Amino acid sequence: MLSWVFCGCSKGDSGGNDMLRRELQAIADSVPGKVGVAVIMPDGDTVTINNDADYQMMSVFKLHEALAVCHALDRQGVSLDTIISFPRSEMDPDTWSPMLKEHAEENLNLSVEELLRYILQQSDNNASNLLFDRIVSVEDCDRFIRESTGIDDFRISYTERQMHRNHALADGNRSTPLACARLIEKVFFDSIVSHHKQRVVQEILLDCQTGLDRIYAPLKDKPGIALAHKTGSGFRNSEGILMAHNDVGRVTLPDGRTYVLAIMIKDFNGSEDEASAVMAKISMTIHNAL
């Protein structure tokens, strides 16, 4: 299945960026699904492929959630050391939750920072649901990101709990690739929440443990490169089609330059490993161009 490819570049599109765009288009054309790519280059130029607003974010939205949680605590004058107590019985044992595997106690007491680490580094669904239940609503999360960043090509409407019960609701948490790339960029270059809390979010993203076979795969053996990123993986529909496979990150090169890359794949007729290999190829193509 071939995807229609629409591309855009800012600032007049340099020759080098035009060549990169063509290479990315060729990769997208070869994939059995729709591939969206957004790159914010070291000089601020952007290159986009299929930058539509219909990609399910899946766990990528947990970055939006983490920032909204930090903002809510800022407004209350509360630190990330604040402890949240909750019974294990309130958690869903059938959803993705490394937190429950690592904590066997019946009554858990975890700091907000620990919960942020679970949602950002391991995409823990129970931790995400808990933070939405206790600290910030889905509606307030969506509103805060729009108002604080000016980014509006996204929507957050549902929790992991709701999507787990009805997979079709995942369409309600969607974004363009560029909107996700812009948010990662702002996490590192703009002031969204208080300095300490934003610094904690940055550090957590640098230690993300999921999706290391995606953007990071072709970079892991290259010295002096750092990746701060957030992944998201989707459900399969009744026909076995993978609905979403995402990775959004900021790459720091050995010379100090940085670029931001968002890759979002939808309706992929293949395995998760194959979708990750597409991302790795895109990542290597962009790295080589720089």
Side-chain angles (χ1 to χ4, degrees):
M1 179 176 63
L2 297 182
S3 60
W4 291 103
V5 179
F6 301 90
C7 313
C9 302
S10 69
K11 299 185 179 180
D13 193 18
S14 68
N17 286 354
D18 188 54
M19 181 179 296
L20 174 61
R21 176 181 55 79
R22 290 195 299 269
E23 292 180 16
L24 295 177
Q25 176 175 335
I27 296 172
D29 276 340
S30 71
V31 173
K34 181 176 178 180
V35 181
V37 182
V39 191
I40 303 175
M41 306 293 277
D43 61 2
D45 281 6
T46 61
V47 179
T48 62
I49 302 289
N50 275 348
N51 189 48
D52 301 315
D54 59 351
Y55 296 90
Q56 296 178 353
M57 282 194 284
M58 302 311 297
S59 285
V60 170
F61 84 87
K62 290 168 183 163
L63 174 58
H64 305 64
E65 179 185 10
L67 293 168
V69 166
C70 289
H71 171 67
L73 295 186
D74 281 342
R75 293 184 64 182
Q76 300 172 37
V78 176
S79 76
L80 294 178
D81 294 332
T82 299
I83 299 297
I84 295 183
S85 300
F86 55 98
R88 186 183 189 86
S89 60
E90 289 186 359
M91 301 295 102
D92 183 354
D94 297 323
T95 193
W96 173 253
S97 187
M99 177 180 70
L100 290 190
K101 295 180 180 179
E102 295 174 8
H103 292 274
E105 59 267 32
E106 289 303 316
N107 293 292
L108 286 72
N109 298 281
L110 299 177
S111 70
V112 174
E113 182 172 336
E114 288 177 294
L115 293 169
L116 292 182
R117 289 187 183 278
Y118 274 119
I119 70 170
L120 293 178
Q121 291 182 352
Q122 300 187 63
S123 290
D124 193 290
N125 292 338
N126 275 316
S128 173
N129 291 330
L130 182 67
L131 290 170
F132 274 137
D133 290 342
R134 299 287 187 91
I135 296 182
V136 65
S137 69
V138 170
E139 294 78 13
D140 286 343
C141 172
D142 183 276
R143 183 183 307 111
F144 168 69
I145 296 300
R146 293 178 190 280
E147 293 177 352
S148 64
T149 67
I151 298 169
D152 60 7
D153 292 335
F154 75 95
R155 175 175 293 178
I156 300 174
S157 303
Y158 301 107
T159 65
E160 287 286 4
R161 181 187 298 112
Q162 293 169 303
M163 291 188 290
H164 185 69
R165 293 172 180 168
N166 182 355
H167 293 179
L169 295 180
D171 282 332
N173 291 357
R174 61 182 186 267
S175 179
T176 65
L178 185 58
C180 289
R182 289 292 189 204
L183 185 60
I184 285 274
E185 180 187 43
K186 287 179 178 294
V187 167
F188 284 90
F189 295 107
D190 287 352
S191 177
I192 305 175
V193 296
S194 61
H195 177 76
H196 172 71
K197 290 185 178 68
Q198 190 156 327
R199 182 61 181 167
V200 168
V201 171
Q202 293 170 356
E203 292 172 352
I204 293 174
L205 292 174
L206 283 164
D207 287 329
C208 179
Q209 301 300 307
T210 58
L212 298 181
D213 58 347
R214 303 179 194 184
I215 290 175
Y216 186 63
L219 308 177
K220 62 183 180 181
D221 295 325
K222 298 183 181 300
I225 288 184
L227 173 66
H229 71 134
K230 183 72 195 81
T231 60
S233 301
F235 307 109
R236 289 187 181 272
N237 66 17
S238 59
E239 298 176 347
I241 301 298
L242 182 61
M243 302 306 295
H245 203 68
N246 309 320
D247 199 3
V248 184
R250 169 187 179 259
V251 179
T252 302
L253 299 171
D255 61 8
R257 291 182 300 152
T258 65
Y259 62 93
V260 179
L261 169 60
I263 309 173
M264 306 181 80
I265 299 178
K266 68 171 294 184
D267 299 337
F268 185 78
N269 188 11
S271 69
E272 290 193 7
D273 287 345
E274 290 169 331
S276 293
V278 171
M279 293 182 165
K281 185 174 183 180
I282 290 170
S283 178
M284 175 57 79
T285 299
I286 294 166
H287 176 268
N288 289 345
L290 292 169

